[in-house]
Amino acid sequence: MRVGVFDSGVGGLSVLKSLYEANLFEEIIYYGDTARVPYGVKDKETIVKFCLEALEFFKQFNIDMLIIACNTASAYALEELRAKADFPIYGVIEAGVRATCKSLKDKDKEILVIATKATICSKQYQMGLEKEGFTRVKALATGLFVPMVEEGIFEGELLKSAFLHYFKDVKSPDALILACTHFPLLSKALGEFFGEKTKLIHSGEAIVEFLKQNSHFKSLDKKANLRFFASSDINALKNTAKLWLNLN
């Protein structure tokens, strides 16, 4: 089975990593719209337009399904994409909400959602979590993390300064939802900043669990063939993929 994975940039590699390690597919085709990242500061019409263009790109590969690894694209373009495709398309938001429900049985636990401005403004996570009965959900736009990840900044003083900027008034929540697929690449640094009390929940792990539960996948006995494409600077994308996926 061949799956496509789409993201606005390199962030979706966090989803690809989880898919790759789960051995669910024979081939994974990744496309990052690196020429136009970030999506999180753009309006809905522009986001939908870019996503439909990406859908046309994937149609040449005869994929069996498409995973929209970008939370912003999942929030604003999922229904339009499904209407134009003859294969299943899954977004990461529903999977993220389900993963949170599985991780936190106490609905009074404090949850902080961090994402791009567009994802936060869509309120898709907030509404999904509140519908499940969670009573203490906060959301914070942390858009500077996206260009940092695109630049390969996963630790160091610059990142610490960004944490202090965004989180100066935030106490360690019980769960931190990394509602942008760029953010899991900052998992180590975020975990050290917030401490052991805070459970990190991200889209890659959530989408794998979602697929296993809803599509009856069985693990294969070999790793998937990986193919990478980008709208700009494919070598930078491949280098980040090698680092993140420990590829030779």
Side-chain angles (χ1 to χ4, degrees), residues 4 7 22 25 54 62 66 81 85 106 109 114 119 121 128 130 175 182 187 192 202 206 212 218 220 226 231:
D7 187 72
F25 301 97
N62 193 30
L66 177 62
L81 290 168
D106 184 349
K109 292 291 188 180
I114 59 172
T119 299
C121 289
E130 289 168 2
H182 284 73
S187 291
E192 291 173 351
H202 73 77
K212 286 181 177 179
K218 294 183 179 179
L220 305 176
L226 300 176
S231 56

Coordinates of all heavy atoms in Angstrom, one line a residue, residues 4 7 22 25 54 62 66 81 85 106 109 114 119 121 128 130 175 182 187 192 202 206 212 218 220 226 231:
G4 N 0.4 8.9 0.8 CA 1.0 10.2 0.7 C 0.9 10.9 2.0 O 0.0 10.8 2.7
D7 N 2.6 18.2 4.0 CA 2.7 19.2 5.0 C 3.2 20.5 4.4 O 3.7 20.5 3.2 CB 3.8 18.8 6.1 CG 3.8 19.7 7.3 OD1 2.9 19.7 8.1 OD2 4.8 20.5 7.4
A22 N 6.1 2.4 12.3 CA 5.0 1.5 12.5 C 4.9 0.4 11.5 O 4.2 -0.6 11.6 CB 3.7 2.3 12.6
F25 N 3.1 0.6 5.7 CA 3.0 0.8 4.3 C 4.2 0.3 3.5 O 5.3 0.3 4.1 CB 2.8 2.3 4.0 CG 1.6 2.9 4.6 CD1 1.7 3.6 5.8 CD2 0.3 2.8 4.0 CE1 0.5 4.1 6.4 CE2 -0.8 3.4 4.6 CZ -0.7 4.0 5.8
A54 N -1.6 20.7 -3.9 CA -0.8 19.6 -3.4 C -1.6 18.2 -3.8 O -0.9 17.3 -4.1 CB -0.6 19.7 -1.9
N62 N -0.7 7.5 -7.8 CA -1.7 6.4 -7.6 C -1.6 5.9 -6.1 O -1.5 4.7 -5.8 CB -1.4 5.2 -8.5 CG -2.5 4.2 -8.6 OD1 -3.7 4.6 -8.4 ND2 -2.2 2.9 -8.8
L66 N -4.2 9.5 1.6 CA -3.4 10.7 1.8 C -3.6 11.2 3.3 O -4.7 11.2 3.8 CB -3.8 11.8 0.9 CG -3.1 13.2 1.0 CD1 -1.6 13.1 0.8 CD2 -3.8 14.2 0.1
L81 N -10.7 18.9 0.2 CA -9.8 17.9 -0.3 C -10.5 16.6 -0.5 O -10.4 15.9 -1.6 CB -8.6 17.7 0.6 CG -7.6 18.8 0.7 CD1 -6.6 18.6 1.9 CD2 -6.8 18.9 -0.6
A85 N -11.1 14.1 -4.1 CA -10.2 12.9 -4.2 C -11.1 11.6 -4.3 O -12.2 11.6 -3.8 CB -9.3 12.8 -3.0
D106 N -9.0 11.8 33.4 CA -9.6 12.8 34.2 C -9.9 14.0 33.4 O -9.0 14.7 32.9 CB -8.6 13.1 35.3 CG -9.2 14.1 36.3 OD1 -10.3 14.7 36.0 OD2 -8.6 14.3 37.4
K109 N -8.3 17.6 34.1 CA -6.9 17.9 33.9 C -6.7 19.1 33.0 O -7.5 19.4 32.1 CB -6.1 16.7 33.3 CG -6.1 15.4 34.2 CD -5.1 15.7 35.4 CE -4.9 14.4 36.2 NZ -4.0 14.6 37.3
I114 N -0.8 24.1 21.8 CA 0.1 25.1 21.1 C 0.1 24.8 19.6 O 0.1 23.6 19.2 CB 1.5 25.1 21.7 CG1 2.2 23.8 21.5 CG2 1.5 25.6 23.1 CD1 3.7 23.8 21.9
T119 N -4.5 27.7 13.2 CA -5.0 26.5 13.8 C -5.7 26.9 15.1 O -6.8 26.4 15.4 CB -3.9 25.5 14.1 OG1 -3.4 25.0 12.9 CG2 -4.5 24.2 14.8
C121 N -7.0 29.8 15.8 CA -8.2 30.6 15.5 C -9.4 29.7 15.0 O -10.6 30.1 15.1 CB -7.9 31.7 14.5 SG -6.9 33.0 15.2
G128 N -13.2 20.3 19.8 CA -13.2 18.8 19.9 C -12.9 18.3 21.3 O -13.6 17.3 21.7
E130 N -13.5 20.0 24.2 CA -14.6 20.4 25.0 C -15.8 19.5 24.7 O -16.6 19.1 25.7 CB -15.0 21.8 24.8 CG -14.0 22.8 25.4 CD -14.1 24.2 24.9 OE1 -15.1 24.5 24.2 OE2 -13.3 25.1 25.3
A175 N -1.2 18.1 30.2 CA -0.9 17.7 28.8 C -0.6 18.9 27.9 O -1.3 19.9 28.0 CB -2.1 16.9 28.3
H182 N 5.3 20.6 13.1 CA 6.7 21.0 13.3 C 7.1 20.8 14.7 O 8.3 20.6 15.0 CB 6.8 22.5 12.9 CG 6.8 22.8 11.5 ND1 5.7 22.7 10.7 CD2 7.8 23.2 10.6 CE1 6.0 23.1 9.4 NE2 7.3 23.3 9.4
S187 N 10.3 18.3 20.7 CA 9.8 17.5 21.9 C 10.8 17.4 23.0 O 10.5 17.6 24.2 CB 9.5 16.1 21.5 OG 8.3 16.1 20.6
E192 N 12.0 19.1 28.5 CA 12.9 19.6 29.5 C 12.4 20.9 30.1 O 12.5 21.1 31.3 CB 14.3 19.8 28.9 CG 15.0 18.5 28.5 CD 16.3 18.8 27.7 OE1 16.5 19.9 27.4 OE2 17.0 17.8 27.5
H202 N 1.4 14.3 20.3 CA 1.6 14.8 19.0 C 1.0 14.0 17.9 O 0.6 12.8 18.1 CB 3.1 15.1 18.7 CG 3.9 13.9 18.5 ND1 3.9 13.2 17.3 CD2 4.9 13.3 19.3 CE1 4.8 12.3 17.4 NE2 5.4 12.3 18.6
A206 N -0.5 9.9 17.2 CA -1.9 9.8 17.2 C -2.5 9.3 15.9 O -3.4 8.4 15.9 CB -2.5 11.2 17.5
K212 N -4.5 2.3 12.9 CA -4.6 0.9 13.3 C -6.0 0.6 13.8 O -6.5 -0.5 13.5 CB -3.6 0.7 14.5 CG -2.1 0.6 14.0 CD -1.2 0.4 15.2 CE 0.2 0.2 14.7 NZ 1.1 0.0 15.9
K218 N -2.1 -4.1 9.5 CA -1.2 -5.0 10.2 C 0.3 -4.6 9.8 O 0.6 -4.2 8.7 CB -1.4 -6.4 9.7 CG -2.8 -7.0 10.1 CD -2.9 -8.5 9.7 CE -4.3 -9.0 10.1 NZ -4.5 -10.4 9.7
L220 N 4.0 -4.6 8.7 CA 4.7 -5.4 7.7 C 6.1 -5.8 8.2 O 6.5 -5.3 9.3 CB 4.9 -4.5 6.4 CG 3.6 -3.9 5.8 CD1 3.9 -3.0 4.6 CD2 2.7 -5.1 5.4
L226 N 10.9 5.2 1.0 CA 10.6 6.6 1.2 C 10.9 7.4 -0.1 O 12.0 7.3 -0.6 CB 11.3 7.1 2.4 CG 11.1 6.5 3.7 CD1 12.0 7.1 4.8 CD2 9.6 6.6 4.1
S231 N 8.5 21.8 -2.8 CA 8.3 22.9 -3.7 C 9.5 23.8 -3.8 O 9.6 24.6 -4.7 CB 7.0 23.7 -3.4 OG 7.1 24.2 -2.0

